[in-house]
Every structure is written in C-alpha cells, then in structure tokens.
Amino acid sequence: MASSAKIVRTSTTDDLQQQKITQAVIIGDNFNQRFAPLTNLKPLLLLPLANRPIIEYILEILEEADVQEVFIFCCSNNHVIRSYIKDSEWSKKEEMSVSVMSSASFLSMGDIMRELDSKALIKSDFILINGAILTTFDLCHILNKHRVQRQSDKNCALTLIYRKTSPRHPIRCSEQVLIVAVESNSQRIRFYKRAYRTLAPQIPLEVFQENDEITVHYNLLDSYVSICSPCVPPLFSDNFDYQDMDDFVKGLIVNEELLGNSMYIHIADEGYGANISNLVMYDAVSQDIMSRWTFPFVPELFDYHPHLGWGIKYISASNNVYKADNVEIGRNCRLHKNVIVGQGTKIGDNAIIMDSVIGKNCTIGKDVKLVQCHLWDGVSVGDFCSFELCILADRVKIGDRVFLNFGCVLGPEVVIDNFVVLPTLTRLQAEEVSENDSFGEDDFEENTKSNKSVDKSLVGTNGHGYVCNIWEEKSDEPEDLTKVSDIWGKPRDEDSEFRQIESDRESDLYERFNASARASGESEVEGDDYDDDISQFYREVLDSLQRAYDENVNAANVILEINSSKHAYNISIKEVASVLVKALLKLPFEYEPNLVFPGYVSALNRVRSSLDAVIFNYIKTADTQYSCLLAIEDFMKRHENCSSAGVRLIREWYDDDILHELIIFRWFLNISPENEKIKKMVEPFVKWLGEAEEESSGD
C-alpha cells in the first residue's frame, strides 16, 4: 500500500512539473508562393523585416513569455534555417531550447499538427504561432488565463488571440476580415467565418436561439497566435480534413455536440499584433516598426549580432529616420520620414527616399526616388531611377533611368538594364524554377532549369531575369485559387487596375494594342488589329469629346460617360488612355479635314483647353503614359504634315507632369525602325531632357 501510494505521488509530481514546461510551436511555412521569388533561396522566417530576420522577433517574443521549448517546423529551404539557428545565440541558451524539424511531407499546418501528435512532443498547453508574425502581446498572461479557463471547462481546446482594429486599418488586409460570434460572458466561440469576398455571411439562427446573449465581432484582427491545449494535435490526427486553423475551428463548431470541445477568444486591450501573410502586410508591418508602433521592437533597440550578418546598431533621428554606421549620404539627399539605412550604404546626390528600408552595403545613384520600397543587402541602383512600393532582394542590380511600377518584386541577383520600365506587379527571379520546387527539401540550385531564354524586352539587353509565374498555380477550390492570385492582399474587384493587369484578357488586349498602335491603315483605329468593341468604343469616345467641346460639358460628366462605355465594352485602362489620345488628336480634323501645321496646332490647343482635364484623368500610371506615347507616335506616322504637333504635345505634357521622363526615354528607345523619321524628330527633345536632368543634378 505504501509503495502504491508513493508511486501515485511521484506521478502527480511529474504531472505538476510537466505543467510548468511552457512549449511553443512555430509554423515556418505559409504553404503558398505569395512571397516568391523572395523565398526561392531563403525560408519565410529568415526574410528581413526592417533589416532583421523575422525569426528573431518571434524567438524574442517567446523568450519574453518564459517559453522553455520551441519547435520550428519548416520544409522549404529548411537547411538554411537549421544552419541559422545552429550558428545563432539561440542554440546556446539554456533556459530555452530551439529545435528545427522538417519533412517533405509537410504540405499544410494540419500535417505538422499530426506530426506533433505522432511523436508525442506536446506535454502541456502550448503557444502556436502560425507563420510570420510580430506581436507585443503578453503571451504569458494569456497562457495563464487559458489554463484557468481549462480548470472551469475541461473541454477547452483553444484560445484564439485577436485585437480590435478599424475596418480600414493598414494592417488589416481584406483576406483577414473575420466574423466571430461569441457568448458575451464567457467569450466562447459560437460562429466563425472568414468574410473575405463574402457579401453577407449568414449566421445560423440557432446561434441566437440557444444562447442568452451573443456578441458579433467584425472588427477583429487575427494575430495568428493561439493557445492550444494538448488535445489539439490528436484532434487534427482524427480528422485529415483539417488542413489549417480555419478548418479546425469550423470543424469543432460543427461537431461540437459530438466531440464536446470548446474554443474561446482573447481580445487584447494593449499591444501590437500582426501576421505577415502577404507583401502588403510585409510593407505595413515594416512601416509600423519605423513608426514605433511595435515598441520595444524598434531599430535602435535591435540586438547586435555581427557574426550572423545582421544586427547593426542604428542611430535614431527626427521623422523616424534610422541610420547605421559608415553610411554615406550625398548632397541635397532628402530622407523624408520612416527610413532605415543599413551599414555601409551609399546614397547619391539629390536622392529622395521615404517610407523605405535599405539594407547594408547598398549603392544608390543620384536623382533616385524611392517611395515605400524595400532594398535588401547589396542592392545597386543606377542614376535617375524611380521606384514605388517595390521589393528588391539581395544583390539586385538596377541600371540608369529605370522605372519600377508599384508592386514589382525582384528576386536575388536579378539584373535590370538601363532605360527599362517594368509593368505593375512584375515578379522576376534570376533562374527559372522547376514546377516541383515549391516546398521540397532539395537545394534550389539543383531544381533550376535554363531552357528558356531571358526576356530581353522586359529586363533590357544586358539584363538578366525570368518572370516568376505564380499566377499559374492550380487549386481544386476556386477560393484557394483566388487567395493565391491575390498575393498582395488587395481586393481584386472588376473595376480595379489589379484585376485588369492580372486577367488573361488584359494581357491579350495589351499585346494587340501594342501591335495595333504601330499598324498602318487609313482609319485611326479600324483595321485587322482592332476588334469591333474597341472600334465602337473609339467612335463613342470621339462623339463624347466632340459633344463636350461643342456644348462645354463639365469634365466630370464626360468622365462618367466614358467610364460607362468602358465597362460596356470591357476595355482596359491602358486602351482607354490610347483611345482618348487618338480621339483628342483626331478631333480638330472633324471640324476642318485639311488642317496642316501650324494651323492644326492652334485648333488642337483650342480643343485641349476644354478636354485636357478629361484626358489627364486616365493618364496616371507608367502603363497608361506609355500607351499615350504610342498613340501619339501612331498619329505622327499617319499625319506627317502635322507630326511636329506630336513632339510639341509630348513636351507640353511633360512640362505639365503628365508624362514622366523615364517613360519618354523608354518609348524613344523602342520606336520601331520603320518610324525612324519620327525618332529623328523626337531626338532633340529627348537629348535636351537628358541634359536638363544632368544639369539639375549637378546643381
């Protein structure tokens, strides 16, 4: 009897010791290609966030929460993160052990949870971090609260951590919108649904009938951090339909009567919490770090780890500008606000930088404009370049006078030649990746292939880079395909430019437009290269502009009329810009068919005085500017007697800041040989444009 009693007491003591062990599980993959090509050679957790690897934020958070045992699950480029942890200070800490686990069979979060169950790694309640996150929540307090909840509710399986945000908060992207219904007193979850692309989610009537008081939340931001009971991994093992946390939560709600498990939410009143699930969130969290919303995770307080190749000491200046040691800033260089400049970086004269992160040992030329950009280590940028909302990975080289439209992502070692304009949302990588390289354990280099030539029309004659076609990823469920294509976390409405750029029809129309804009023929738009819809749209636009000029119609009403025709014929924004310019240049001939220069210029100026506001409304991006120049080139070819008016128009629209000099340079270099006469007419202006820029930079 005594012996039996002693055994029982020993078992109880072991249980109490196990309860004191705090564990954490980090899901190190996002199981999609949203960050490609940035994650081709580097795992998600090692991507630099404000010049610091994401994993460093997470491990520091867990250390602050007194976690003793951490499991990092990673399958994509797992050898890289395994080596990183081995060489880091985390491998030497006695109070917190960090283990990296990997397998080619990990294709979802559900697979990882089933692996935890099969190896019996979980000993008590644990913290689950699903992907790349940054939070300042008091996880130790939330974990203790969960344990108290389990004492009153033995079936408590999960506590999801949220914080309240306004609907249009920068770190609340469209796909993370949630509708959660909970019991008002206990915060027990009764209904859960992602509201992404859902007009009106239906909450079952029984949710309200079976509970005295229900609170419905629509303003919650998912931190992707949760507190799990030991029963969670076995529940995943029992149901292979559970592939992610959404499946798990909805499954437990549906099977609540059968399984008896309950779930709760914790709404944090203080602290910061965000999940870096796409590139919009990557940029938004970076901006928050620079704006100090994530304190104490701010640049000047980052740990210094020179042996790891990061951890530079920063000096904080006004307007949230952080500069490391050995930084060279040129004359008249303006670092406006929210800027991090890494060690050894050189910035040329007259550069304008704002809301951007620049890594170490970067070289930025003179007269460069960077807005909301992320340049990783060793990036080289030439003179007179302009980037907006772009990410350039390690050792990317950019030539002179390059224009990157918003949303461009360049993988490591991509090279862009001089005078290149990259379209919106372009993704380039240095090597062409095989289709089987998504989440395997093999090295990236072993799975590359080079059977396709570099697209010189995209990267320039001396450029190097392949298009990263993540749009072609397939899925059995349309909703998943939508999420894959929505890589920037932006809603893709029918009216949005994102939708137009991504659609297959847009690509076809753009190719046809480029061909037709240079095609010869008697009519301005009619011919083999244009279909009936575009021809009809052109005629309606011409009629609208003529009526607006004759009757002095308000510009807003004309724009509304053109937009109606645009939607009726499903015309892209680039073709709208082209057709408008063609119609504007055609309009003087409607009043006097035999006009020649300079009489044509006078007639055109009279028309422009009434219609420029309408035209300018559609020429706002690099794509539409380029389309505009192609339309002017086409006019100059068709009307040689008035071709000088085209040069004059380009110069005036440049003076009005409608046409960017980089777009003009790009168009000039791509004028076809058959239009050599036009190129010679434009050449003096382009030469003057280049000299004017050099003189302004010299001053």
Side-chain angles (χ1 to χ4, degrees):
M1 294 290 293
S3 176
S4 298
K6 185 175 181 179
I7 292 174
V8 171
R9 284 198 301 272
T10 302
S11 177
T12 303
T13 302
D14 291 341
D15 290 341
L16 291 174
Q17 289 177 348
Q18 287 181 352
Q19 288 293 331
K20 294 180 181 179
I21 297 176
T22 303
Q23 297 175 297
V25 175
I26 302 173
I27 310 297
D29 282 297
N30 54 359
F31 305 107
N32 58 51
Q33 297 188 53
R34 287 185 169 183
F35 286 87
L38 304 178
T39 50
N40 285 350
L41 299 174
K42 187 180 294 186
L44 174 65
L45 294 181
L46 290 186
L47 298 187
L49 182 68
N51 285 348
R52 189 190 194 200
I54 294 174
I55 187 62
E56 290 293 330
Y57 296 98
I58 298 176
L59 292 178
E60 189 172 336
I61 293 164
L62 296 178
E63 184 182 36
E64 185 69 21
D66 296 327
V67 173
Q68 287 97 29
E69 192 172 23
V70 178
F71 300 105
I72 302 175
F73 285 85
C74 179
C75 57
S76 178
N77 297 304
N78 61 81
H79 61 285
V80 180
I81 194 167
R82 194 185 300 274
S83 176
Y84 177 89
I85 295 296
K86 181 181 178 181
D87 297 336
S88 71
E89 299 293 334
W90 300 107
S91 63
K92 304 177 179 64
K93 290 183 179 290
E94 296 181 357
E95 61 274 14
M96 186 174 78
S97 66
V98 180
S99 304
V100 178
M101 310 187 72
S102 61
S103 172
S105 62
F106 296 159
L107 300 178
S108 68
M109 172 193 161
D111 294 336
I112 292 175
M113 301 305 288
R114 285 182 275 274
E115 180 76 4
L116 284 172
D117 182 45
S118 65
K119 293 188 176 181
L121 296 175
I122 298 302
K123 303 177 178 65
S124 64
D125 299 313
F126 64 97
I127 300 171
L128 176 63
I129 294 180
N130 191 1
I133 63 101
L134 177 60
T135 182
T136 60
F137 296 152
D138 187 350
L139 297 183
C140 188
H141 166 72
I142 301 173
L143 177 60
N144 290 332
K145 182 179 177 181
H146 172 82
R147 287 170 173 166
V148 172
Q149 182 68 56
R150 282 191 63 202
Q151 292 178 0
S152 59
D153 182 0
K154 301 298 183 181
N155 295 321
C156 173
L158 186 70
T159 298
L160 299 173
I161 304 175
Y162 301 107
R163 79 180 182 98
K164 293 183 178 180
T165 57
S166 59
R168 297 189 179 275
H169 196 281
I171 63 171
R172 189 189 187 198
C173 67
S174 57
E175 67 187 37
Q176 294 182 351
V177 176
L178 281 168
I179 295 180
V180 182
V182 299
E183 296 179 7
S184 300
N185 295 327
S186 65
Q187 300 298 301
R188 182 174 178 175
I189 300 175
R190 291 300 185 182
F191 177 82
Y192 175 97
K193 185 175 180 59
R194 295 276 176 185
Y196 179 60
R197 302 181 70 85
T198 302
L199 295 178
Q202 300 293 324
I203 301 178
L205 182 60
E206 54 266 24
V207 171
F208 300 96
Q209 293 176 335
E210 296 173 359
N211 299 277
D212 295 334
E213 187 175 346
I214 288 291
T215 301
V216 179
H217 294 281
Y218 183 72
N219 59 343
L220 298 182
L221 177 68
D222 191 351
S223 66
Y224 284 74
V225 181
S226 54
I227 310 298
C228 300
S229 301
C231 66
V232 170
L235 287 171
F236 271 90
S237 296
D238 293 341
N239 195 325
F240 279 82
D241 291 335
Y242 297 161
Q243 297 299 321
D244 54 28
M245 185 58 75
D246 286 349
D247 292 340
F248 180 74
V249 173
K250 288 184 288 187
L252 290 193
I253 293 175
V254 171
N255 300 311
E256 183 176 5
E257 294 184 2
L258 178 64
L259 300 177
N261 298 108
S262 57
M263 297 170 293
Y264 297 83
I265 67 170
H266 173 85
I267 301 177
D269 297 325
E270 298 179 349
Y272 180 90
N275 171 257
I276 307 166
S277 58
N278 52 55
L279 295 180
V280 162
M281 294 300 295
Y282 177 85
D283 175 70
V285 175
S286 298
Q287 301 298 332
D288 285 347
I289 292 174
M290 291 185 285
S291 299
R292 310 182 70 81
W293 290 106
T294 59
F295 188 87
F297 296 117
V298 290
E300 75 270 21
L301 297 182
F302 289 169
D303 293 333
Y304 183 49
H305 299 289
H307 62 286
L308 295 178
W310 70 272
I312 301 165
K313 294 182 179 179
Y314 293 97
I315 298 176
S316 176
S318 59
N319 296 322
N320 298 326
V321 174
Y322 308 89
K323 291 184 288 187
D325 298 333
N326 196 26
V327 171
E328 297 183 15
I329 307 294
R331 294 179 303 168
N332 300 323
C333 178
R334 287 172 286 174
L335 307 180
H336 280 281
K337 65 179 181 67
N338 290 355
V339 176
I340 298 178
V341 183
Q343 189 177 42
T345 290
K346 300 178 181 179
I347 303 177
D349 299 339
N350 304 310
I352 300 175
I353 303 175
M354 62 186 300
D355 298 325
S356 299
V357 179
I358 302 173
K360 65 179 182 180
N361 299 324
C362 294
T363 302
I364 299 174
K366 61 183 180 181
D367 290 274
V368 171
K369 182 179 180 181
L370 302 178
V371 178
Q372 219 169 335
C373 294
H374 302 264
L375 278 60
W376 295 2
D377 296 344
V379 172
S380 174
V381 179
D383 300 333
F384 302 104
C385 294
S386 179
F387 310 157
E388 181 177 359
L389 190 56
C390 298
I391 300 178
L392 280 61
D394 299 328
R395 301 176 299 282
V396 167
K397 294 184 179 180
I398 306 293
D400 297 335
R401 304 183 189 278
V402 173
F403 189 101
L404 302 186
N405 277 289
F406 66 90
C408 289
V409 180
L410 307 185
E413 300 183 354
V414 167
V415 179
I416 305 297
D417 199 5
N418 302 329
F419 300 101
V420 168
V421 178
L422 286 184
T424 302
L425 295 179
T426 298
R427 292 195 172 209
L428 298 176
Q429 56 195 35
E431 300 292 341
E432 185 188 2
V433 187
S434 65
E435 296 180 356
N436 297 325
D437 191 53
S438 298
F439 307 113
E441 293 190 41
D442 297 334
D443 290 341
F444 173 80
E445 296 178 356
E446 296 177 359
N447 285 296
T448 58
K449 56 183 180 180
S450 302
N451 58 332
K452 289 186 179 180
S453 59
V454 175
D455 186 357
K456 297 297 184 180
S457 64
L458 187 64
V459 299
T461 304
N462 298 317
H464 179 80
Y466 297 86
V467 175
C468 182
N469 288 318
I470 66 171
W471 315 105
E472 298 176 358
E473 182 171 326
K474 303 298 182 182
S475 173
D476 294 335
E477 300 183 14
E479 183 179 358
D480 290 343
L481 183 59
T482 300
K483 290 182 179 180
V484 169
S485 59
D486 186 15
I487 52 173
W488 273 91
K490 291 287 187 181
R492 301 191 304 131
D493 300 327
E494 293 296 328
D495 297 339
S496 70
E497 189 169 355
F498 278 89
R499 180 70 178 96
Q500 294 165 352
I501 293 170
E502 294 166 4
S503 67
D504 293 334
R505 185 181 184 279
E506 169 70 11
S507 300
D508 295 339
L509 287 176
Y510 192 37
E511 291 176 2
R512 187 178 68 222
F513 160 73
N514 282 332
S516 60
R518 302 185 186 279
S520 60
E522 296 181 359
S523 173
E524 295 291 331
V525 296
E526 294 176 355
D528 295 337
D529 294 307
Y530 264 83
D531 61 16
D532 293 337
D533 285 348
I534 301 176
S535 298
Q536 184 63 31
F537 175 69
Y538 168 79
R539 285 188 286 269
E540 290 191 9
V541 167
L542 184 60
D543 291 341
S544 297
L545 294 184
Q546 186 171 2
R547 185 169 58 257
Y549 175 67
D550 292 340
E551 302 175 8
N552 196 24
V553 180
N554 183 273
N557 294 333
V558 182
I559 292 171
L560 183 62
E561 187 174 338
I562 292 173
N563 286 341
S564 299
S565 299
K566 169 185 176 293
H567 295 305
Y569 295 105
N570 198 15
I571 305 298
S572 71
I573 190 66
K574 291 190 288 289
E575 287 195 313
V576 171
S578 171
V579 168
L580 275 169
V581 174
K582 287 176 180 289
L584 175 70
L585 295 172
K586 175 70 173 177
L587 196 54
F589 293 116
E590 296 294 307
Y591 298 96
E592 191 172 344
N594 298 321
L595 277 173
V596 294
F597 189 87
Y600 174 82
V601 174
S602 300
L604 180 63
N605 288 339
R606 289 193 297 270
V607 172
R608 286 181 52 204
S609 63
S610 300
L611 300 177
D612 264 2
V614 177
I615 307 299
F616 294 167
N617 182 71
Y618 296 93
I619 308 177
K620 296 181 178 180
T621 67
D623 292 335
T624 52
Q625 290 178 45
Y626 194 78
S627 300
C628 167
L629 289 168
L630 289 176
I632 295 174
E633 177 188 343
D634 184 67
F635 168 82
M636 294 172 67
K637 180 180 179 180
R638 297 175 187 274
H639 303 277
E640 293 185 3
N641 292 335
C642 301
S643 56
S644 297
V647 182
R648 192 185 190 108
L649 183 63
I650 293 173
R651 179 159 189 164
E652 290 180 2
W653 280 357
Y654 167 75
D655 292 337
D656 293 337
D657 292 328
I658 302 303
L659 298 177
H660 195 283
E661 60 268 17
L662 294 178
I663 309 299
I664 297 175
F665 289 138
R666 177 66 172 171
W667 163 73
F668 176 77
L669 292 174
N670 286 281
I671 293 178
S672 60
E674 64 185 40
N675 292 336
E676 188 65 27
K677 185 182 295 185
I678 296 175
K679 192 169 187 176
K680 289 182 178 180
M681 294 181 64
V682 180
E683 187 173 7
F685 168 66
V686 174
K687 184 177 180 180
W688 170 85
L689 198 59
E691 293 174 351
E693 284 193 4
E694 293 176 359
E695 289 177 2
S696 63
S697 64
D699 295 338

